[in-house]
């Protein structure tokens, strides 16, 4: 069989994605960027990406971009029927929006003790202490609390059950906890450095990635 431009593009993109430059949930280069990097047409790049999508190595959030995925995420997942996909998306949009505001306020208002509390919860997640979904909720709750804004805190508390259901859905995905632990570690480290832009980027990327992979799961 003749080796085509698509075969070469697929091979090079896959090698790049599996290198140390990317981790699960990372946004991959756009089609335009890949065309320039590989010096091939958009048609070639799209076909190569389609192959990677079929392998579940990447997933796409329409209008946002594509992300490096973990193919294991799509094995043995059982939708418990706690809520539908639209409800899940609403919860993730709410979390992303409220945490983006909370992070900015936390950097301004929180003391080192408030931010260290976030890191301590992450350590408990790593060590397997307590219920993982509860710790996940507590991690984000600590960020909201560090903002010192009562209204944000009340809004988060009022949606506790919905948020925990959403966290349960993502954490029950195969290898979902490993991804969550790594992500929360990055968020905690960025918070301690008071790096607002990085925390917001990590939070928004996570929301988009979770949307894309749960959408893929719910439609099957």
């Amino acid at each position: 069989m003749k080796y085509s431009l698509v075969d070469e593009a697929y091979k090079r993109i896959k090698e790049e994605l599996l290198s140390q430059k990317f981790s699960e949930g990372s946004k991959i280069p756009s089609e335009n960027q890949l065309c320039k990097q590989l010096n091939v047409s958009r048609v070639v790049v799209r076909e190569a990406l389609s192959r990677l999508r079929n392998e579940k190595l990447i997933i796409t959030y329409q209008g946002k971009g594509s992300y490096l995925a973990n193919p294991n995420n799509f094995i043995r997942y059982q939708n418990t029927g706690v809520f539908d996909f639209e409800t899940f998306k609403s919860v993730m949009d709410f979390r992303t929006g409220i945490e983006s505001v909370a992070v900015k306020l936390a950097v301004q208002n929180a003391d080192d003790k408030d931010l260290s509390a976030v890191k301590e919860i992450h350590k408990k997640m790593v060590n397997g202490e307590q219920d993982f979904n509860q710790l996940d909720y507590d991690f984000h709750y600590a960020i909201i609390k560090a903002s010192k804004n009562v209204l944000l805190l009340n809004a988060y508390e009022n949606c506790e059950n919905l948020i925990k259901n959403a966290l349960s859905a993502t954490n029950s995905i195969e290898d979902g906890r490993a991804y969550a632990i790594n992500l929360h570690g990055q968020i905690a480290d960025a918070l301690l450095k008071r790096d607002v832009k990085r925390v917001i980027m990590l939070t928004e990327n996570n929301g988009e990635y979770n949307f894309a992979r749960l959408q893929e799961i719910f439609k099957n």
Side-chain angles (χ1 to χ4, degrees):
M1 183 179 293
K2 187 177 180 181
Y3 196 66
S4 67
L5 285 175
V6 174
D7 293 327
E8 179 63 22
Y10 161 81
K11 178 175 177 289
R12 289 178 61 184
I13 296 171
K14 187 171 185 176
E15 287 176 349
E16 179 80 358
L17 294 180
L18 295 178
S19 71
Q20 297 300 314
K21 295 179 182 179
F22 294 90
S23 59
E24 182 184 352
S26 297
K27 183 176 284 188
I28 73 170
S30 67
E31 288 183 1
N32 283 338
Q33 290 172 316
L34 290 171
C35 288
K36 292 178 181 178
Q37 290 175 17
L38 302 175
N39 194 28
V40 294
S41 69
R42 185 182 292 269
V43 172
V44 170
V45 166
R46 283 183 175 171
E47 179 59 33
L49 292 178
S50 178
R51 291 187 188 181
L52 294 168
R53 234 175 256 114
N54 289 336
E55 293 176 6
K56 296 293 191 287
L57 189 61
I58 65 170
I59 50 175
T60 300
Y61 183 170
Q62 194 65 35
K64 297 291 185 179
S66 295
Y67 302 80
L68 178 64
N70 179 350
N72 289 338
N73 285 175
F74 309 96
I75 300 173
R76 295 190 300 275
Y77 180 79
Q78 294 293 324
N79 179 11
T80 60
V82 173
F83 50 60
D84 58 22
F85 179 70
E86 288 305 316
T87 302
F88 173 82
K89 182 180 183 300
S90 295
V91 175
M92 295 306 297
D93 288 343
F94 169 78
R95 283 185 54 209
T96 300
I98 201 170
E99 288 182 31
S100 295
V101 176
V103 166
K104 295 176 183 178
L105 293 175
V107 169
Q108 296 173 15
N109 303 328
D111 56 34
D112 291 341
K113 184 178 179 180
D114 293 322
L115 300 183
S116 294
V118 178
K119 187 68 175 179
E120 286 303 312
I121 295 172
H122 174 252
K123 288 181 181 178
K124 291 181 179 180
M125 296 174 77
V126 173
N127 295 331
E129 299 178 31
Q130 302 174 25
D131 176 72
F132 191 86
N133 293 325
Q134 182 64 52
L135 287 172
D136 200 342
Y137 175 83
D138 291 344
F139 180 92
H140 297 280
Y141 183 85
I143 294 175
I144 309 297
K145 189 175 180 180
S147 73
K148 310 291 188 183
N149 186 291
V150 175
L151 294 180
L152 289 178
L153 196 61
N154 287 342
Y156 208 75
E157 290 173 342
N158 288 336
C159 295
E160 180 175 353
N161 288 336
L162 281 171
I163 292 170
K164 284 182 178 178
N165 285 338
L167 293 173
S168 177
T170 54
N171 291 331
S172 63
I173 294 173
E174 192 78 9
D175 294 342
R177 293 191 179 190
Y179 165 74
I181 288 171
N182 179 57
L183 172 73
H184 287 64
Q186 293 182 61
I187 291 175
D189 289 341
L191 263 178
L192 286 172
K193 295 175 183 177
R194 298 181 184 267
D195 187 343
V196 176
K197 289 184 178 180
R198 177 157 176 76
V199 177
I200 292 176
M201 182 273 292
L202 289 167
T203 301
E204 291 181 349
N205 273 6
N206 175 61
E208 292 168 4
Y209 175 58
N210 279 328
F211 172 89
R213 62 179 178 163
L214 263 294
Q215 182 180 48
E216 187 70 24
I217 288 170
F218 268 77
K219 75 181 184 182
N220 293 330

